[in-house]
Each structure stands twice: as structure tokens, then as C-alpha cells.
Amino acid sequence: MILLHERGLAASPPVRYMLITARRNSPCLCFVGECAEVAALWANEGWAVSIPERRLTPGHLTITSRRPNQPLDQAAAEGLLEAYRRTRAGLWDVGNYRGFAVSFAVGWRPDEDGVGEPDPVDGFAIHVFGRRRGDSVSPVRVMAVPRPQRTYAVPADRTEVAGFRSALASAAEIAVPGPKEEACDGCTAEAQELWLAGDVRVIRPRRTIIESQVIVLPVRHVVSAGDLTPVELVSIGSRLREVLDAFKGKCTGLSCFLNDGSEARQETPHVHIHVFGRSRREPANPFKLLAVGNEGARLPC
């Protein structure tokens, strides 16, 4: 079970976020500590959508927990799915984005170098990047260099903020174009399975970059992350906690990412989350290995 931690505030005023840590003796992942306030574009009871202070691309939004001491139960999962669907719809409407890259960390804060990850915030943030073909700026390419060397997107002006607020409020349903469904590796992953619980699998990738690397995916065939059910999302959270426990002694946290839609370079027509175990003592940053194409690996665009 994942525990969400924040102060419940109204949707429009600034929202104060919390720092995530993993407690080894607890069945939950807990958010503790406070940080700076960020004005929300939209919020429901449990989640807020915002433009990060230093956005990597013009299509960079964050989803953050708002409620104190709340487990990722059915209600929280429903709220998170609503926030994610609205975030996609807002990026679709304002920026004409047709694909979405998602990045988040569990019990892990990037170091000062931070290659491969968004700038850390003092709180649990799900980073969502709008993607479209022909973009001159890719979030993955921006994150492939150390933070001190990054070129950030121009801060959003009032017109853009107003556009996002309006789009998030209306949030029309969208159908994210996915990869062709001629064959689905996600539906035939039994041979790679490490364990299965709650209709969610943890599997070993066919090609690994580091030892502490897995993929988490639902058993049900579902192409887009926005089409997951609350029950599946709760189970995914539980499996991530199990992954962290399985990596105990090797890792202290997890770096996670997924691609939603063909324009976000999703290749397998099945929702799947790439998970890297992380530690300050790790021999190499897995994202650096990806960036240099270690052992034939390519950067996940």
C-alpha cells in the first residue's frame, strides 16, 4: 500500500507538498516533510495538477498528492486516474500533444547530477510530459544531461496558465493513439514473470541495463495508462512496494517511467512501467547507461 501525505487545501490557492521516504518496517510508503508552495491549475480532493517552477518542456505538468496520511486505496486511485486523464486532456487541448511520457520516483531523490530524471521537488510528484511527432525538444534529451547544464523551457505566461486551467476544468475525453496491436508482448510475458499478485505482474525485462531492474504491468490487456482501473492502480502501488522490498540491501528507492501513446514512443500495446532500483552506492546511474547506449541499449524516447 502506498501512503500519500499532504495538507488538504482548496483547489485554487497554493498547495504545499511533502517529501517521500520509504520506511522499511512499514507496509506503506510515506510522505514526510514540507517544501515550497506551488499554485495548482486544477485539483480534486486528493490530487493537484501544476506547472513545475522549472519545467523541462512546454508540455511538462506535475500531479501531486494533497491529502495527509492517505493510503493509495480505491478512492485515492480514482482521484489519481481523474487527475491523470485531465492532465492528458489539458496537454492535448493546449499543446496539441498526442502522447505522454510519465516519470516518478518512489523513496528516491536524484543527486545533484540528476541525469535521466526531472528536477527533484520536495514531495511526491508524477511528472507528465506531452509528446508529439516532430518536437524540437524531447524531455528525455533534456534530462540526458546534468541538471546544471540543462536548458529549461520558458516559464508559462498568464495566457498559457489560463488555457491550461480552462482545459483541465473541462477535460474532454480523448483517445490516445497507441501502437499497432498486431502482437502484444505484455500478454505473453509469463516466461519472464518473477511474481504475480492482484492481477498485476512483475517481470524481468529481456534486456537489462542494471541488475535491479523490472517491469510492472497489469495482466489485463490495456493499451493506455489512462484506461487502467482503480483496482489495477492500487495493485500496481502494492507491487512497487514489493519490488522495493525485493531489492532490499541493494537499493533504497525506485525510478519509474512509462510511455503512453505511440507519439510518446510506446512500442508495446500494453501498459507497462519500467522500474530501476536506485541507491547512492550504485555503480552507475542506469539512465547514464541508457544515454550512452550501453550494451546495445537505446535511450527510451
Side-chain angles (χ1 to χ4, degrees), residues 34-290:
E34 294 190 25
C35 76
E37 295 182 342
V38 179
L41 298 169
W42 174 89
N44 59 19
E45 187 176 356
W47 302 89
V49 180
S50 307
I51 299 174
E53 183 178 355
R54 302 178 74 188
R55 57 181 184 168
L56 296 178
T57 69
H60 183 186
L61 299 177
T62 57
I63 304 171
T64 312
S65 167
R66 300 182 61 230
R67 297 186 62 187
N69 304 317
Q70 177 181 257
L72 185 57
D73 55 15
Q74 178 86 7
E78 289 174 357
L80 178 53
L81 285 169
E82 179 190 21
Y84 178 62
R85 291 164 183 160
R86 285 179 181 268
T87 298
R88 294 190 314 175
L91 289 166
W92 181 289
D93 185 64
V94 174
N96 199 35
Y97 297 103
R98 297 297 183 261
F100 309 92
V102 180
S103 174
F104 63 96
V106 175
W108 170 252
R109 184 181 178 88
D111 59 19
E112 293 182 0
D113 187 81
V115 168
E117 297 174 280
D119 286 22
V121 297
D122 287 335
F124 176 63
I126 299 172
H127 297 262
V128 182
F129 300 94
R131 301 301 311 275
R132 59 194 173 196
R133 296 192 187 280
D135 266 348
S136 59
V137 179
S138 158
V140 172
R141 298 298 173 185
V142 175
M143 292 186 289
V145 298
R147 286 205 305 275
Q149 302 173 25
R150 291 178 181 174
T151 300
Y152 293 87
V154 175
D157 58 26
R158 292 183 178 180
T159 301
E160 187 177 5
V161 170
F164 273 121
R165 287 188 187 278
S166 176
L168 286 163
S170 58
E173 290 190 14
I174 62 173
V176 177
K180 294 182 179 179
E181 298 193 50
E182 296 174 352
C184 178
D185 292 341
C187 291
T188 57
E190 293 90 343
Q192 300 164 254
E193 186 177 295
L194 298 174
W195 69 88
L196 165 66
D199 292 328
V200 170
R201 282 194 176 100
V202 178
I203 69 172
R204 184 74 168 170
R206 292 191 180 94
R207 182 178 60 189
T208 59
I209 304 301
I210 60 174
E211 181 181 354
S212 302
Q213 179 181 351
V214 298
I215 293 174
V216 177
L217 70 166
V219 172
R220 180 175 68 95
H221 178 70
V222 52
V223 179
S224 174
D227 294 329
L228 290 168
T229 67
V231 171
E232 288 169 330
L233 190 57
V234 171
S235 182
I236 287 171
S238 297
R239 303 295 78 75
L240 289 174
R241 181 62 176 116
E242 292 168 358
V243 169
L244 189 57
D245 287 341
F247 289 164
K248 185 177 180 179
K250 302 177 182 178
C251 308
T252 57
L254 307 173
S255 292
C256 311
F257 66 92
L258 67 90
N259 296 322
D260 186 3
S262 56
E263 294 201 21
R265 305 290 180 89
Q266 180 185 1
E267 296 178 349
T268 299
H270 196 118
V271 176
H272 58 287
I273 303 172
H274 296 270
V275 181
F276 291 131
R278 305 300 305 275
S279 169
R280 297 288 180 226
R281 298 175 297 172
E282 63 190 11
N285 178 338
F287 292 106
K288 284 187 176 180
L289 299 179
L290 283 168

